[in-house]
Amino acid sequence: MSVSHVTTHILDTGAGRPAVGVAVVLSKNDAGTWRELAASSTDADGRAKDLGPEQLEPGHYKLNFATGKYYAGLQTATFFPEVDLVFDVTGPEHYHVPLLLSPFAYSTYRGS
């Protein structure tokens, strides 16, 4: 299996473990309209490696995480029903966009 140009890894920092089964959607902004490119969900390690093609053209992209559904499955209240992370792809290098998640906060960074 090849790895997509954009990958993600979600850690449930409140629980101290990977966030398993979180739905993730990759979209591209085309002239002001978001167009879905791929959908996946996180594996047992909290990773989604199959979000679209091996190479994306430069542009404005978004990862949408269904955090509300994830926490509902754990019967845990959350403030964020979903998280959108918007970023720019500027070249051929790999883009890893991790999400550190808890029921009432999240953070992210450009990973490697």
Side-chain angles (χ1 to χ4, degrees):
M1 177 182 110
S2 62
V3 175
S4 58
H5 196 172
V6 173
T7 57
T8 190
H9 185 199
I10 308 174
L11 296 174
D12 183 337
T13 58
R17 62 179 177 248
V20 178
V22 179
V24 184
V25 175
L26 174 67
S27 300
K28 183 176 191 297
N29 191 302
D30 285 327
T33 301
W34 290 105
R35 180 175 51 90
E36 184 177 317
L37 299 178
S40 185
S41 61
T42 55
D43 62 17
D45 194 32
R47 297 178 185 275
K49 301 177 187 176
D50 56 350
L51 285 168
E54 291 181 45
Q55 192 66 49
L56 295 169
E57 60 188 53
H60 210 51
Y61 292 85
K62 172 174 68 174
L63 286 173
N64 173 270
F65 300 89
T67 53
K69 289 181 183 178
Y70 167 73
Y71 280 115
L74 298 174
Q75 298 181 352
T76 300
T78 183
F79 184 69
F80 301 102
E82 62 184 307
V83 172
D84 283 334
L85 300 180
V86 179
F87 57 97
D88 286 324
V89 169
T90 58
E93 66 272 18
H94 178 77
Y95 289 80
H96 185 63
V97 185
L99 178 64
L100 304 175
L101 185 63
S102 74
F104 298 97
Y106 68 88
S107 66
T108 188
Y109 57 95
R110 167 89 191 264
S112 57

